[in-house]
Amino acid sequence: MKNLVVLISGRGSNLKAIIDAIENGKINAKISLVLSNKKEAKGLEIAKNYGIKTKFIDPSFFSSRKGYDIYIAELIKKENPDLIVLAGYMRILSDEFIDAFEGKIINIHPSLIPAFQGKNAQKQALEFGSLITGCSVHFVTKDLDSGPVIIQAVVPVLPEDTEETLSKRILSYEHRIYPQAIKWILEDRVLVEGRKVIVKDAKYGTIPVNPALEDF
C-alpha cells in the first residue's frame, strides 16, 4: 500500500476529501503523518479523529526557513512517503526541502496556473476582471506555483461573485480533483515530459476539467 504524508496549515478541507477517498476505497493508500506549522490548525483534529498520526512543529523555534524545512524533512523521511501532499500548507518550501523529495511533492492552487500565482488568487481573479478561473493540482518545483500541471478544473467568475463566494465554488472542485490526481500518481499513471504531464489511459469528456474526472 502506498504511503502519503500531508502538510497543512488550516481547516483541512482538502485533507478531509483525501481521507474520504481513502476510506471509500477510491485511493489505495494510507496517510502515515499529517504535519502542520500551525498548532490551531483544524485539520490536525480531523486527522486525529481518523487515528492518523499528527505533528505540530513550531517554526518560531528555528532561526530560518531552511532550518525548519531541513528538520521537518528528516521527520518525513522516517515515514518513507511515496507522495507528499500540500493541502493548504501556507509556507513556501525551501530549495533544500524540494531537493530532498524531488518529484514527489504536489500542491493545489486556486487558479488556472500560470494565472494568479501566489496569495489571494481568488481576489486577483476578481480584480483582474477574469471571466473564468479555477484550480490546479501541480508538482512542486522551486518556482512558486509553477510546476507541471496534473489536472485543472475551470470555474466561471459570475458578475455577482465576491471573494468568499468564488472561493467556495472553487473549493468544491478542489475536493474532486486533488484526490483524482493522487489516485493517478499512486497508480503510476502520470508521466512528466518537461512541463507536460501525461496521464496514461485518462478519459477525456466534456465537463470543464482537463483531463476529465474519472472517479470523483
Side-chain angles (χ1 to χ4, degrees), residues 24 39 53 74 79 99 120 128 141 198:
N24 294 334
K39 186 176 182 179
K53 182 169 63 175
E74 291 305 312
E79 304 297 329
D99 286 338
N120 304 316
F128 188 81
T141 63
I198 299 169

Side-chain angles (χ1 to χ4, degrees), residues 80-189:
N80 193 27
D82 294 286
L83 190 66
I84 297 169
V85 179
L86 309 184
Y89 187 63
M90 302 306 291
R91 286 177 63 87
I92 297 174
L93 295 171
S94 65
D95 290 355
E96 288 76 15
F97 188 96
I98 294 170
D99 286 338
F101 303 104
E102 186 175 4
K104 296 173 66 174
I105 313 169
I106 61 172
N107 182 47
I108 191 159
H109 183 71
S111 79
L112 298 176
I113 291 172
F116 312 126
Q117 296 162 311
K119 292 183 178 180
N120 304 316
Q122 303 93 329
K123 183 179 180 182
Q124 291 183 57
L126 288 169
E127 291 179 345
F128 188 81
S130 180
L131 299 180
I132 61 169
T133 184
C135 47
S136 308
V137 180
H138 65 96
F139 286 102
V140 174
T141 63
K142 293 175 183 177
D143 296 319
L144 180 65
D145 297 330
S146 298
V149 173
I150 304 160
I151 183 171
Q152 293 180 312
V154 178
V155 177
V157 180
L158 304 179
E160 66 273 18
D161 262 330
T162 64
E163 186 177 356
E164 181 180 0
T165 61
L166 181 58
S167 298
K168 184 177 180 179
R169 206 159 59 255
I170 292 172
L171 188 62
S172 69
Y173 275 94
E174 291 183 31
H175 294 165
R176 296 175 65 192
I177 69 171
Y178 215 1
Q180 179 70 84
I182 292 168
K183 176 181 172 67
W184 282 336
I185 293 168
L186 297 184
E187 291 177 346
D188 297 320
R189 294 171 56 189

Side-chain angles (χ1 to χ4, degrees), residues 9 37 59 64-66 68-69 86 88-93:
S9 296
N37 64 309
S64 66
R65 179 164 57 94
K66 175 181 174 181
Y68 181 84
D69 281 1
L86 309 184
Y89 187 63
M90 302 306 291
R91 286 177 63 87
I92 297 174
L93 295 171

Side-chain angles (χ1 to χ4, degrees), residues 31-86:
I31 300 174
S32 66
L33 174 65
V34 172
L35 187 148
S36 178
N37 64 309
K38 297 286 187 180
K39 186 176 182 179
E40 68 277 10
K42 293 182 179 179
L44 292 174
E45 289 303 315
I46 291 173
K48 289 175 183 177
N49 289 339
Y50 283 90
I52 299 170
K53 182 169 63 175
T54 65
K55 283 187 181 294
F56 157 63
I57 307 298
D58 191 343
S60 68
F61 291 162
F62 297 82
S63 60
S64 66
R65 179 164 57 94
K66 175 181 174 181
Y68 181 84
D69 281 1
I70 289 173
Y71 181 82
I72 66 169
E74 291 305 312
L75 289 178
I76 292 169
K77 285 177 183 177
K78 294 177 182 178
E79 304 297 329
N80 193 27
D82 294 286
L83 190 66
I84 297 169
V85 179
L86 309 184

